Amino acid sequence: MWRHRILQQASRRGISKQVREYGGARREPSGSLPGAADVVVIGGGSAGCHTLYHLARRGVKAVLLERAQLTAGTTWHTAGLLWRLRPNDVDIQLLANSRRMLQQLEEETELDPGWIQNGGIFIAHNETRLDEYRRLATVGSALGIENQVLSPEDTQKLFPLLDPSAFVGALYSPGDGVMDPAMLCAALKKAATNLGAQVIENCGVDDLLLEQTARGKKVVGVSTPFGDIKAEKVVNATGVWGRDLVAKHGTHLPLVPMKHAYIVSESIPGVRGLPNIRDHDYSTYFRIQGDAICMGGYEPNPILLEPVPKDFHFGLYELDWSVFETHVEGAQKLCPSYAKYGVKSTVCGPESFTPDHKPLMGPDPNLDGLYHNCGFNSAGMMFGGGCGEQTALWVIQGQPELPMFGFDLRRFTQEQGKAIQWIREKSHESYVKNYSMVFKYDQPLAGRDFQKDPLHDEMMKAGAVMEEKQGWERPGFFLPTGSKKAVVQPYDWYGSYGHQRHKDSEYERVLDGDLHYSRFSEHHDLIGSEALACRNNAVVFNMSYFAKLLLDGPQAQEAADWLFSANTNRDPSKTVYTCALNDAGGVEADVTISRLAPGTGEVYNPKFNGQGFYIVAGGASAFYTYSALLAEIRRKGFNASLKDLTAELGVISIQGPNSRKILQPLIDCDLSDEHVAPNSTRLAKLGDVGLRLLRVSFVGELGYELHVPKKDCAAVYRSLMKAGAGQDLRNAGYRSLYSLSSEKGYHLWSFDLRPDDTPLEAGLGFTCRKTGADYRGKAAIEKQRAEGLKKRLVYLTLRDQVPIWGLEGVYRNGEPVGILRRAEYAYTLGKSLGQTYVSRPDGQIIDADYIRNGEYEVDILGKKYRADCHLRSPFDPTGQRVLGNYASESKSNK
């Protein structure tokens, strides 16, 4: 009945017709084009206007080009909500920066930016969802975001139209609100132009102007219908058209436009001034607009679009009620009086969506001088200020201030950017699950089996439960022998578009065992058995998806000296753990690097001119690492090349006290310390198969990695497992590997080691050489050595048996001093273990005494638990096990 009334009213008002209010004959630009600029920003929506504003604030001569008028495309019709509580600390900081800018903009410009701080409420319909909100509350409180977890009755006091019997609780953030896109962009324009920037409307960009240099293609300007503008830096802020601008030049953005909609109610008495509502379980939101409610959400069957026409400036689509009506029932249950009022208008426009529902930002991997700031998944208004600022910093100083890997375009490979079906599947699932609960170990169902390593089939035979990282399939853990195989099935689009939902998916059933906050995973003990087998015997890890790079050429040594903080000018048998830093001393990558002797041409024994280095880095950030190193080599002009060998080699890692005993009979070299020392490499053969052997460990045990040509991987793996069968050698996955590495105190890049962390802060000062040639970031490191640290990584072990997942607030003597960056269960210690960077509330220098002399607690779901603080992990603190000294370690523990 409610839907029938809506349709009748919509028909009477004619609001389902497409609107095209802007177009026709070519218009003249709104201002004179400059011959040159420091930076050209393309696109006058939220992303472009915010970027221009932050560039201008920093004295950059920038010009923004918009082919229609400001806000054209998607910005003008957006809902404009701002919610600051997110399951990610970087998101929270970006959103806080957006809000801070909104609050100061009116004072700068004397224009109202349309910011209304009416607060925001998250609605929970079950205890698991409420546990998620308690998690958000803990990280929010630790980061200074005011919030409250409320009962239904207290929630109704804030929003009297809600039915308190329809939900179990809520999370309230009084500092959230809503902004008007037209008013905000007008204020940003005034602020930027007051500072010397230019905004030119009715001026599209036909193409990028490029120059071929010895270092690759470089941006030198843009061409428009009204002339060229020379510029060495260009920002692509063109939203749903972002892919079209750069595809011809070899960059393919993983972005797809979809229709996204909301409806505006008639006037509802008592609504004005109420908080906005987000009902994640019903996938519905309420945005308060005067005395009306704008209602929308994320439906299971959004309409995916082909490229949006270039002249679709202020257009709307006809609302498809068969798609949208899924939101109606939930809205009516939550707010029964909402059903009594009709619809004033509907808004259905194009929005850009990405495979992981995060924007596409940062430097282009192919075109020097081009930066991206697009693909905002209908969140461009609330992220605009924070992301615009980071984009401006990227352009000006070559790096952002915040660790933006989760937003960086280079988190996707170039192959993923070209794979249209993969992009559509992944973007659909991310859209559908945008309001779903976020669990640490949940896995996507879309876009799977995109890239398989050489051992994939062997892993499946062994009962692996696979995870996806950067398009690769990797084993998370292994089911007991005889269990039903958990096979990843083809994407069923969650039953939409005529597809049948998989009714019996063992893989999804296994994933369900991880969907908890208040108790350990149902696979906790199974993963623990893998971890303890590694500590007490030996296991095999398939690490084939790790990045494997070859740096070679006449100036490879000079390049390595500059790129890496440790001394890489070692004997060819030596393997070194080191960091690659940015100018601020932050860690862009941590790798192992081995200097090579010239080889015979096999992929594991390459030929090269000059020097050669074999570099291994984490797989989840493999393309980012490759791109960042290559960009710096080109920027500095080194006569050296960097090749990606990742897909050509598999990595079979055997780790544990008995690893040498199992491997020795198979390998053609003596594995004793005298011949294969810790942190070393050499060529070897296993049977007839040539390979590269590295004695390294990611888990803190005696162990070896076999780097094997892909065609030989399966045979080598089978030989190793057969040889170890009598000694209970078993497979282990990444869940146990990460637990073991955390327990040992090793790092996981993008978690407890990021571009905003220096090696000194992370306890990795030993990787930073004090003599020899300069390395990137050295000046910042030396300055920090002299002045002292303002934050420091510590390890917290909980006294109670409770699970932690990361982001929990950390308190010292009752004051917030950080959040858990990484959280695991340390099975040998028998405790939950978290890593956090502690900083003083007063911002002063932090030393070991300050850390030792505090009482620590971790806020878990709103309850604080006592924790013991360690400057380094309490497991094997002297590092005897990785040396193979198990007898001395046993004595030291007595």
Side-chain angles (χ1 to χ4, degrees):
M1 190 68 182
W2 191 88
R3 177 175 177 271
H4 180 68
R5 184 163 61 251
I6 288 177
L7 289 171
Q8 285 182 326
Q9 293 166 339
S11 177
R12 286 198 301 271
R13 292 182 173 83
I15 58 176
S16 296
K17 295 178 180 178
Q18 182 170 297
V19 179
R20 291 213 185 191
E21 299 176 353
Y22 188 94
R26 188 176 91 165
R27 297 167 181 255
E28 292 301 310
S30 63
S32 299
L33 267 68
D38 294 336
V39 181
V40 172
V41 179
I42 309 174
S46 170
C49 289
H50 279 103
T51 301
L52 184 76
Y53 166 76
H54 284 291
L55 287 168
R57 283 196 72 193
R58 290 159 175 82
V60 176
K61 180 185 175 184
V63 57
L64 182 150
L65 302 179
E66 165 54 50
R67 65 182 169 204
Q69 294 177 333
L70 294 188
T71 75
T74 62
T75 295
W76 74 275
H77 61 72
T78 187
L81 292 155
L82 189 149
W83 317 90
R84 289 176 300 158
L85 293 174
R86 312 272 291 194
N88 181 292
D89 65 309
V90 177
D91 286 16
I92 291 174
Q93 292 175 78
L94 288 168
L95 293 165
N97 290 346
S98 289
R99 179 176 176 270
R100 190 177 304 115
M101 184 214 69
L102 283 163
Q103 293 174 319
Q104 71 187 33
L105 200 55
E106 184 168 6
E107 183 178 340
E108 290 183 31
T109 65
E110 297 181 349
L111 288 180
D112 180 1
W115 168 245
I116 300 173
Q117 184 174 306
N118 56 329
I121 297 174
F122 290 174
I123 298 293
H125 291 272
N126 56 71
E127 282 299 321
T128 306
R129 177 71 78 177
L130 199 54
D131 277 344
E132 181 182 43
Y133 292 168
R134 293 184 181 109
R135 275 179 50 74
L136 295 180
T138 63
V139 65
S141 296
L143 295 178
I145 308 297
E146 181 186 357
N147 67 85
Q148 295 173 270
V149 176
L150 302 176
S151 68
E153 292 72 24
D154 286 337
T155 307
Q156 190 188 33
K157 294 176 183 176
L158 293 172
F159 200 117
L161 301 182
L162 299 182
D163 177 3
S165 67
F167 59 102
V168 300
L171 176 62
Y172 175 49
S173 177
D176 293 351
V178 65
M179 66 205 82
D180 181 277
M183 297 171 70
L184 175 55
C185 287
L188 290 168
K189 175 185 175 181
K190 183 175 181 181
T193 54
N194 286 347
L195 293 166
Q198 280 186 271
V199 173
I200 303 176
E201 298 173 295
N202 303 319
C203 182
V205 170
D206 293 331
D207 204 354
L208 302 172
L209 298 178
L210 304 177
E211 181 181 283
Q212 184 67 48
T213 71
R215 306 175 190 177
K217 292 180 180 179
K218 175 179 175 57
V219 170
V220 294
V222 299
S223 65
T224 83
F226 309 101
D228 297 344
I229 302 176
K230 294 180 180 179
E232 294 189 353
K233 303 288 180 65
V234 174
V235 177
N236 172 20
T238 57
V240 296
W241 295 278
R243 187 180 178 93
D244 307 336
L245 178 69
V246 296
K248 69 179 79 172
H249 300 297
T251 293
H252 301 276
L253 301 183
L255 178 156
V256 61
M258 300 184 198
K259 292 182 180 180
H260 193 51
Y262 60 87
I263 60 175
V264 184
S265 75
E266 295 178 329
S267 296
I268 301 176
V271 161
R272 186 178 294 272
L274 295 182
N276 304 306
I277 298 285
R278 221 180 194 186
D279 189 327
H280 293 92
D281 294 313
Y282 285 163
S283 194
T284 299
Y285 68 79
F286 286 173
R287 174 200 189 274
I288 305 305
Q289 182 171 299
D291 57 2
I293 292 177
C294 300
M295 188 272 284
Y298 291 82
E299 54 279 340
N301 56 336
I303 298 173
L304 281 66
L305 297 167
E306 296 302 321
V308 178
K310 290 184 178 181
D311 65 346
F312 202 84
H313 303 310
F314 292 96
L316 292 176
Y317 300 105
E318 181 179 349
L319 182 64
D320 187 332
W321 284 96
S322 68
V323 174
F324 190 83
E325 67 179 350
T326 185
H327 306 301
V328 171
E329 183 179 355
Q332 182 179 358
K333 287 181 179 178
L334 179 64
C335 184
S337 60
Y338 180 61
K340 301 175 183 178
Y341 298 90
V343 175
K344 182 179 180 181
S345 60
T346 69
V347 178
C348 180
E351 292 277 6
S352 54
F353 293 92
T354 63
D356 59 1
H357 219 76
K358 287 291 184 70
L360 304 174
M361 296 177 59
D364 188 278
N366 300 309
L367 306 177
D368 184 28
L370 177 64
Y371 296 80
H372 299 279
N373 189 18
C374 55
F376 273 87
N377 304 276
S378 195
M381 293 304 297
M382 65 175 169
F383 276 111
C387 288
E389 181 177 31
Q390 297 306 309
T391 299
L393 293 170
W394 241 317
V395 171
I396 296 167
Q397 60 192 31
Q399 65 200 47
E401 288 182 351
L402 294 177
M404 297 293 286
F405 174 66
F407 293 67
D408 196 304
L409 169 62
R410 296 167 295 178
R411 69 189 185 274
F412 297 111
T413 66
Q414 296 188 79
E415 291 74 20
Q416 288 171 313
K418 297 175 185 177
I420 300 301
Q421 183 63 17
W422 181 87
I423 295 168
R424 290 168 69 88
E425 285 189 14
K426 292 282 289 182
S427 299
H428 170 265
E429 183 179 37
S430 293
Y431 181 102
V432 171
K433 295 186 68 175
N434 184 41
Y435 280 5
S436 296
M437 285 178 264
V438 177
F439 295 98
K440 180 178 179 178
Y441 297 113
D442 197 13
Q443 289 294 310
L445 303 179
R448 298 300 296 269
D449 292 341
F450 181 77
Q451 198 155 6
K452 301 177 183 178
D453 67 47
L455 293 176
H456 181 83
D457 291 344
E458 298 295 332
M459 298 294 98
M460 295 307 299
K461 291 176 186 176
V465 177
M466 304 302 285
E467 301 175 344
E468 183 268 337
K469 286 293 181 182
Q470 204 171 61
W472 288 91
E473 297 289 320
R474 70 179 195 183
F477 59 95
F478 290 82
L479 297 172
T481 302
S483 299
K484 185 177 179 180
K485 297 292 190 288
V487 178
V488 178
Q489 297 181 314
Y491 188 49
D492 61 12
W493 299 84
Y494 289 86
S496 297
Y497 316 119
H499 294 269
Q500 291 294 316
R501 186 79 169 94
H502 296 310
K503 295 181 179 178
D504 184 22
S505 171
E506 183 66 14
Y507 184 73
E508 291 184 55
R509 188 196 67 77
V510 173
L511 293 184
D512 286 345
D514 282 320
L515 307 186
H516 312 293
Y517 297 114
S518 59
R519 64 181 189 273
F520 290 106
S521 164
E522 293 176 11
H523 314 300
H524 179 78
D525 293 340
L526 182 60
I527 293 163
S529 69
E530 293 179 5
L532 293 174
C534 181
R535 290 281 184 244
N536 300 320
N537 183 28
V539 299
V540 168
F541 295 107
N542 173 17
M543 301 175 68
S544 296
Y545 97 114
F546 265 44
K548 297 168 284 288
L549 311 174
L550 175 65
L551 170 65
D552 70 341
Q555 289 188 302
Q557 183 64 65
E558 290 92 332
D561 287 343
W562 174 254
L563 292 171
F564 301 110
S565 58
N567 177 18
T568 61
N569 193 1
R570 305 292 191 90
D571 293 335
S573 63
K574 183 66 176 175
T575 297
V576 177
Y577 173 71
T578 183
C579 297
L581 309 183
N582 53 40
D583 292 340
V587 180
E588 294 289 335
D590 66 325
V591 308
T592 60
I593 181 169
S594 307
R595 184 176 173 185
L596 303 180
T600 53
E602 296 88 352
V603 66
Y604 61 89
N605 186 27
K607 292 180 179 179
F608 49 82
N609 294 319
Q611 295 291 344
F613 295 89
Y614 183 55
I615 301 166
V616 181
S621 54
F623 184 66
Y624 178 90
T625 300
Y626 168 77
S627 298
L629 295 178
L630 181 61
E632 189 63 12
I633 291 169
R634 289 175 172 173
R635 187 182 74 86
K636 296 290 288 184
F638 292 119
N639 185 6
S641 65
L642 188 69
K643 302 180 183 71
D644 188 350
L645 307 178
T646 301
E648 302 302 312
L649 287 163
V651 179
I652 302 167
S653 177
I654 180 169
Q655 301 286 326
N658 291 325
S659 58
R660 178 186 288 159
K661 179 180 178 182
I662 295 170
L663 181 61
Q664 183 63 84
L666 301 177
I667 206 83
D668 73 338
C669 62
D670 184 352
L671 295 179
S672 66
D673 291 348
E674 291 76 16
H675 292 87
V676 184
N679 299 313
S680 67
T681 181
R682 61 164 296 160
L683 299 174
K685 277 192 171 183
L686 195 152
D688 296 329
V689 177
L691 53 84
R692 177 165 296 280
L693 177 75
L694 277 73
R695 183 174 168 186
V696 293
S697 178
F698 195 60
V699 296
E701 298 293 332
L702 172 67
Y704 306 86
E705 290 181 0
L706 311 178
H707 292 236
V708 186
K710 63 180 180 181
K711 65 181 178 60
D712 299 314
C713 277
V716 169
Y717 167 81
R718 287 193 291 265
S719 296
L720 184 59
M721 296 306 292
K722 181 178 180 180
Q727 300 177 67
D728 295 325
L729 180 66
R730 61 182 292 179
N731 290 290
Y734 278 81
R735 294 277 288 275
S736 59
L737 185 145
Y738 284 166
S739 165
L740 292 161
S741 78
S742 177
E743 184 174 55
K744 179 64 182 82
Y746 292 162
H747 295 281
L748 182 60
W749 191 85
S750 86
F751 289 87
D752 61 325
L753 189 63
R754 306 190 306 200
D756 60 333
D757 306 317
T758 71
L760 303 185
E761 294 164 345
L764 296 175
F766 66 90
T767 68
C768 297
R769 63 183 186 270
K770 297 181 179 180
T771 59
D774 279 351
Y775 57 87
R776 188 181 184 191
K778 181 180 179 181
I781 295 300
E782 293 304 316
K783 184 174 185 288
Q784 198 174 55
R785 283 191 200 275
E787 296 179 354
L789 305 178
K790 291 192 175 182
K791 69 176 186 181
R792 183 164 176 172
L793 182 69
V794 301
Y795 301 82
L796 297 172
T797 52
L798 269 68
R799 299 179 182 180
D800 294 276
Q801 291 293 317
V802 291
I804 49 177
W805 311 103
L807 294 181
E808 290 83 359
V810 176
Y811 292 78
R812 177 189 179 274
N813 297 344
E815 291 185 297
V817 291
I819 60 168
L820 292 187
R821 288 272 205 89
R822 189 176 175 194
E824 299 286 350
Y825 190 83
Y827 288 94
T828 306
L829 295 176
K831 299 176 181 180
S832 289
L833 170 68
Q835 280 111 304
T836 184
Y837 284 85
V838 170
S839 57
R840 293 175 57 131
D842 60 9
Q844 297 301 305
I845 298 298
I846 189 169
D847 58 20
D849 286 340
Y850 177 85
I851 291 172
R852 291 193 186 100
N853 295 329
E855 296 290 331
Y856 290 86
E857 296 174 302
V858 178
D859 187 352
I860 303 172
L861 302 180
K863 179 180 178 182
K864 292 186 174 70
Y865 291 83
R866 290 289 302 277
D868 295 310
C869 184
H870 313 270
L871 290 171
R872 59 191 306 173
S873 171
F875 175 79
D876 188 22
T878 61
Q880 294 300 308
R881 297 173 72 95
V882 74
L883 302 176
N885 296 334
Y886 291 94
S888 60
E889 191 233 15
S890 176
K891 291 176 183 178
S892 67
N893 288 338
K894 288 182 180 179

